[in-house]
Amino acid sequence: MEKVRVLVVDDSALVRKLLSAMLDSDPGIEVVGAAADPLIARDKIKQLNPDVLTLDVEMPRMDGLTFLENLMRLRPMPVVMVSSLTERGAEVTLRALEIGAVDFFTKPSSDLANCFAESAQEICTKVKLAARTRPRAYTQVQKIAVPPRLSADAVLPRSQSPGTRGGMRIIAVGASTGGTEAIRVLLEAMPPDAPPIVITQHIPAAFSGPFAVRMNNCSAMRVCEARDGQPIQPGHAYIAPGGEHLLVMWDGAKHVCRLHDGPQVNRHKPSVDVLFRSTAASVGAAAVGVLLTGMGDDGARGLLEMRESGAPTLVQDEASSVVWGMPGAAWKLGAADEKLPLEDIAARLLVLAHQPIAGARRAAS
């Protein structure tokens, strides 16, 4: 078999000497050259055409990562990184593996000769295995900024004294994946004089208006996309606009819809947790909460806050859910009194809405 031709790149003359000698001692490896920095290495790669490069992560004139990116973009070849035993060395090495380095070995901070001798077989094996690989060209990928996961606190602080205001039942509904059809089933079963319903469905801004129109056409209730300051009335259902949080607020004489252009909550806008928290604070025990099918856990903590404020709460069961993420999370959290199939939820909501508000502490209006 042909020997694996290796170019050693390291800013330390001692490391270059010891590493070259160690690799040369393996009958399957030939060290064809050494370089003190990436700029010298660049010229020697052209001259010597090595099979494998050993590359130090921290070097003068050009750091190892920058050189590696350029190398893997312009002339992909097997590279084994030489990493220092530090936290910084670990971070850079992991980044090097992302860029395309095949493997790495650690460089001791002291007693180089003995440590390299003890690791000789492992290092030589890594170099020979690297020679068998065919690295792909590196393409710079635009990183997507992941927004921080915020709680409902980012929009509305939790009320320390939720109470019941207005004496009117309000049903709060949350949903996500599979929710557009689940909401249709729910609204189709509601009579025209049903208690008011406020709805947060995870939906893009361009779709919430047409979705409200579609729901209005299939329900005996009047269904609309919620507007800021709109009074909440029986026989009406209000759907949160895509891209804005929907809150239920008490304005001193009546409950109204409030739209909030705040940050995403649980990486959603609108967020179910925001709707449920506002309902718990301003409606209290007079509310009824229901969490329908959806991915993730948005709404689970808000539903628990509604239950703790005295409101009856329920979730859609797993068998009838497209995704039992949100309702499942609420159920595991102890946020729901009941778990029901989708087809039974509307009837149960009507029963709950017509029950006396037991144990409610009436807040001053």
Side-chain angles (χ1 to χ4, degrees), residues 243-320:
E244 293 184 272
H245 296 297
L246 173 60
L247 294 80
V248 177
M249 304 295 285
W250 179 252
D251 75 349
K254 60 185 178 299
H255 285 102
V256 299
C257 297
R258 286 294 178 199
L259 302 183
H260 193 291
D261 190 21
Q264 291 185 348
V265 170
N266 301 320
R267 301 201 173 102
H268 292 289
K269 187 179 175 182
S271 162
V272 182
D273 266 343
V274 171
L275 174 65
F276 284 176
R277 171 170 288 187
S278 70
T279 305
S282 63
V283 186
V288 182
V290 57
L291 196 53
L292 303 176
T293 175
M295 187 178 297
D297 63 0
D298 185 34
R301 286 170 291 278
L303 194 68
L304 179 61
E305 291 179 19
M306 289 188 66
R307 189 182 189 195
E308 290 173 344
S309 73
T313 57
L314 55 94
V315 295
Q316 184 177 348
D317 71 0
E318 186 172 7
S320 65

Side-chain angles (χ1 to χ4, degrees), residues 36-117:
D37 64 51
L39 299 184
I40 298 173
R42 182 182 59 190
D43 295 333
K44 290 204 171 185
I45 289 171
K46 296 176 184 177
Q47 297 168 7
L48 303 171
N49 193 30
D51 301 313
V52 177
L53 201 70
T54 68
L55 179 64
D56 189 13
V57 296
E58 295 177 356
M59 289 180 297
R61 296 217 282 175
M62 181 186 293
D63 68 85
L65 282 185
T66 301
F67 176 66
L68 182 65
E69 284 190 6
N70 293 336
L71 180 68
M72 300 307 289
R73 187 177 70 252
L74 302 174
R75 190 192 186 282
M77 64 177 296
V79 175
V80 178
M81 302 301 295
V82 183
S83 171
S84 60
L85 289 168
T86 64
E87 184 176 345
R88 164 66 180 164
E91 292 174 357
V92 174
T93 301
L94 291 172
R95 175 62 182 146
L97 295 173
E98 291 178 4
I99 294 170
V102 177
D103 207 340
F104 71 95
F105 58 85
T106 55
K107 176 173 60 176
S109 57
S110 62
D111 198 11
L112 293 174
N114 285 333
C115 290
F116 270 143

Side-chain angles (χ1 to χ4, degrees), residues 4-8 16 19-24 29-34:
V4 175
R5 295 161 48 83
V6 181
L7 177 65
V8 174
R16 293 197 302 272
L19 186 54
S20 296
M22 183 196 67
L23 292 171
D24 262 334
I29 297 175
E30 177 188 1
V31 176
V32 296

Side-chain angles (χ1 to χ4, degrees), residues 150-210:
L150 303 176
S151 73
D153 293 340
V155 173
L156 180 69
R158 183 171 182 178
S159 173
Q160 299 304 309
S161 56
T164 303
R165 297 180 176 90
M168 177 178 65
R169 288 283 193 185
I170 296 179
I171 298 171
V173 179
S176 186
T177 311
T180 55
E181 284 305 293
I183 290 169
R184 178 188 61 79
V185 171
L186 177 66
L187 291 178
E188 280 184 342
M190 288 292 178
D193 60 348
I197 302 177
V198 287
I199 301 168
T200 286
Q201 160 74 42
H202 295 162
I203 197 167
F207 289 83
S208 55

